[in-house]
Amino acid sequence: MRTYALIGNPNCGKTTLFNELTGTSQHVGNWPGVTVEKKVGRLHSRYGDAEIVDLPGIYSMSSYSIEEIVSRRFIIEEKPDVVIDIVEATNIERNLFLTCQIAELGVPMVVAVNMMDEAEKQGDKFDFDTLSDMLGLPVVPITAAKAEGVHELMGVVGMSGLLAEIENEAEHKVHDGEDEHGHGFQDIEDPVEHRIDHHTDSKGRTNALISEYKYHNHYKGPKTYQAEPGDSLTVEQETSNAERRYAFIGEVVKASVVKGKQIGERTRSDKIDKVMTHPVFGIPIFLLLMFAMFHVTFSENFLFLGIDSPGVWLQGLAETFIGWLGGALGTLFIDGSWSYGLVIDGILGGVGAVLSFLPQILVLFLFLTLLEDMGYMSRAAFIMDRLLRTFGLSGKSFLPMLMGFGCSVPAMMACRTMENENDRKLTLFLVPFMSCGARAPILLVFAAAFFPSNGDLVVMLLYVLGIVVAILTGFLLKKLVFKGDITPLVIELPKYRAPRIKSVGISLWQTMKDYLRRAGTIIFVMSVVIWFFSSFGFGPEGFGLVDIEYSMLAVAGEAIAWIFAPCGFGFWVAAVAILTGIAAKEAVVGTLGVLLKVGEEEALEGGALSGAVLASVGFTPLSAFAFMTFTLLYMPCAAAFATLKRESNSWKWAILQALYSVCVAWIVATVVFQVGSLCGLA
Amino acid sequence: MQLVEAKKDSSYVIVGNSETGKERMRLDSLGLVSGEIITVLSNSYAGLIVDIKGSRLAICKSVAEKMEVVNA
């Protein structure tokens, strides 16, 4: 089976084309760094089956960042049959730089000029024959988001693959002979024509193959310095290469593209940027957007009208459904039996408590996805750069940190786009302090239970606390461990685009799938285990079903609960919930659901983890807030910990992060509780 | 003059860049090479936003200080 590699600049639409070709639904975003590792899919088409590899977006083939190394290695070592180079039509000059570098490697390639709809909208006109002739490469215009030109592209790619295959297989046959004057000569048979002679069964087919012969890489770009294997070019040589390539690209574009807009002419994006990246209002706008996100998701006083926000309303519906389900299931079992306890208290209490927050998680992610899809994330990094620089950090660190609001795992992988190894390791250390989607249910439970009238502000305060702790930690590490200059920020600002329904839908679908998968696997298993250990123990009559205070879990929890006494939640239920959260953060809520018999409450009264239920084990508004700060900051979940180890390639760094974050969480929670108590808030 | 001193809505030609190492190569690959025309769209406390070859780049002040430009 043939292998086709998709390569191109960040944000040029590679993943959109990948999804279109393979029928998969990889996440697409409007900011650099969404794809940081290669993804593989299958193409089934009339041109034959093929493996499609989506490589990370890169600006050049130099090996300066991990994703550049991944792409370069793949093309050189794995030798795909055809490289499909995606070039953004509205940004063709800059994109052709990478095209030149790939073409210099001499690999079979096809250039796909993507986003033609946008280019046409802004009045750009292309002469693709001239473009193809001057580059010496096959060029096909496409609009991947609308599937326009994709069939034509794959036809050309298939032809290029076939011709490359023929060239590789065929031997250059040499015929010795004599001309009419008796002079000897050698006739070198063309491998393609040789193959056509043998395999053509109709004149039409033969002609078609010969006419497609131009679909080889006959790159006509400038001569450049090339490094010997195992060697690298000097900065001067690289700069000279870049100048030669850009001079060549300038000529090619001048002859083949008529721009609808003059260089420097203001676009709609520029006008929006005047406001969004304003030196004074940029950061307040960022904070306002964050507040809007939390207000829509968490507020019980939506638009200050005393009504539930869409997030809270949807969560109420989910809770009602789970309550109804509990009631229905409850009739199937005998109250007080172990089977009733397992299903209602264990599974429904744990999994149901986590699932009831799915609608709110989706609302939160919808907001994040919209910001991402519109192209705001890079702007956020730019406006925060100056502030971060004061603390020794680069704005580039802020992009993975923002991504950490979703999930720490892809956020840590996004650190691969950072060229500076120290900055990358530092950012890996900071990402877990951002409140991920899995932590959201904890914040939601406690905010709704103890701060119903201003839950949105409390949650936002905690999100900001995560950012502040991350920045201060970065400052500390920069002073003590990673001394040296701050990496300068040079970042592309993608055009603002209206969110695409398909792309937003894919993102939300993946979030929901992941959430349900975790609820159905790890949370399910943990709920059953927690129920078992909280239901069985050594009571007055020996081992067996016992009241919860005699359970094995209560005994173990009591043994460590004292550690959290200064934080205000030194009771075993909280201690056990914190421990289970190490496996997955949603498990904190699941554990509370099981231990506080929320399933039974739901079955009987349609209740949930209410303030009264949580207060029954000792939570007060102040200790609840301290508990929220602790769970916000303490060590990453098992998956994030493993990713941190893998991405830093260091057990030491991952363990240090875990220990440091636990200490910071304990200190901050203790300060919150003790200072609050001194102020009479206890 | 240094790019950091450039005025908003003005175009300049890049004539030099004293940035070194990986950062220099990154700037080269983004098209910030000698002879190219650059238009400054905003220059503020936060940094600069420039138009280079039709794309928008946000550049921090420390990079702009190392780039030499002349009026286009």
Coordinates of all heavy atoms in Angstrom, one line a residue, chain A residues 105 180 286 338 387 392 420 464-465 580 640:
Chain A
L105 N 14.8 18.2 -1.5 CA 15.1 16.8 -1.1 C 14.9 15.8 -2.2 O 15.3 14.7 -2.1 CB 14.2 16.4 0.1 CG 14.4 17.2 1.4 CD1 13.4 16.7 2.4 CD2 15.8 17.0 2.0
E180 N 24.4 5.4 -38.2 CA 24.6 5.1 -39.7 C 26.1 5.3 -40.1 O 26.4 4.9 -41.2 CB 23.6 5.9 -40.5 CG 23.8 7.4 -40.4 CD 22.9 8.0 -39.3 OE1 22.6 7.3 -38.3 OE2 22.5 9.2 -39.5
F286 N -9.3 40.0 27.5 CA -9.0 38.5 27.7 C -9.8 38.1 29.0 O -10.4 37.0 29.0 CB -7.5 38.3 27.9 CG -7.1 37.0 28.3 CD1 -7.3 35.8 27.6 CD2 -6.6 36.8 29.6 CE1 -7.0 34.6 28.0 CE2 -6.2 35.5 30.1 CZ -6.4 34.4 29.3
W338 N -26.8 -6.0 49.3 CA -25.5 -5.6 48.7 C -25.6 -5.2 47.3 O -24.9 -4.3 46.8 CB -24.4 -6.7 49.0 CG -24.6 -7.9 48.1 CD1 -25.3 -9.0 48.4 CD2 -24.1 -8.0 46.7 NE1 -25.2 -9.9 47.3 CE2 -24.5 -9.3 46.3 CE3 -23.4 -7.2 45.8 CZ2 -24.3 -9.8 45.0 CZ3 -23.1 -7.7 44.6 CH2 -23.5 -9.0 44.2
L387 N 3.6 40.8 29.9 CA 3.4 40.5 31.3 C 4.2 39.3 31.8 O 4.9 39.4 32.8 CB 1.9 40.3 31.6 CG 1.5 39.9 33.0 CD1 1.7 41.2 33.9 CD2 0.1 39.4 33.1
G392 N 9.9 36.5 33.6 CA 11.0 35.6 33.0 C 10.4 34.6 32.1 O 11.1 33.6 31.7
N420 N 13.1 26.3 22.2 CA 14.1 26.3 23.3 C 13.7 25.2 24.3 O 12.7 25.2 24.9 CB 14.0 27.7 24.0 CG 15.1 27.9 25.0 OD1 15.1 27.1 26.0 ND2 15.9 28.8 24.9
V464 N -8.0 31.8 37.6 CA -6.9 32.8 37.6 C -5.8 32.4 38.6 O -4.7 32.6 38.4 CB -7.5 34.2 37.9 CG1 -6.4 35.2 38.1 CG2 -8.5 34.6 36.8
L465 N -6.3 31.8 39.7 CA -5.3 31.4 40.7 C -4.3 30.3 40.1 O -3.1 30.4 40.4 CB -6.0 30.7 41.9 CG -5.1 30.1 43.0 CD1 -4.4 31.2 43.8 CD2 -5.9 29.3 44.0
T580 N -8.1 9.4 45.4 CA -8.6 8.8 44.1 C -8.4 9.7 43.0 O -8.3 9.3 41.8 CB -10.1 8.4 44.3 OG1 -10.8 9.5 44.7 CG2 -10.3 7.3 45.3
A640 N -1.7 12.5 32.8 CA -0.9 13.7 32.6 C 0.5 13.5 33.2 O 1.5 14.0 32.6 CB -1.5 14.9 33.3

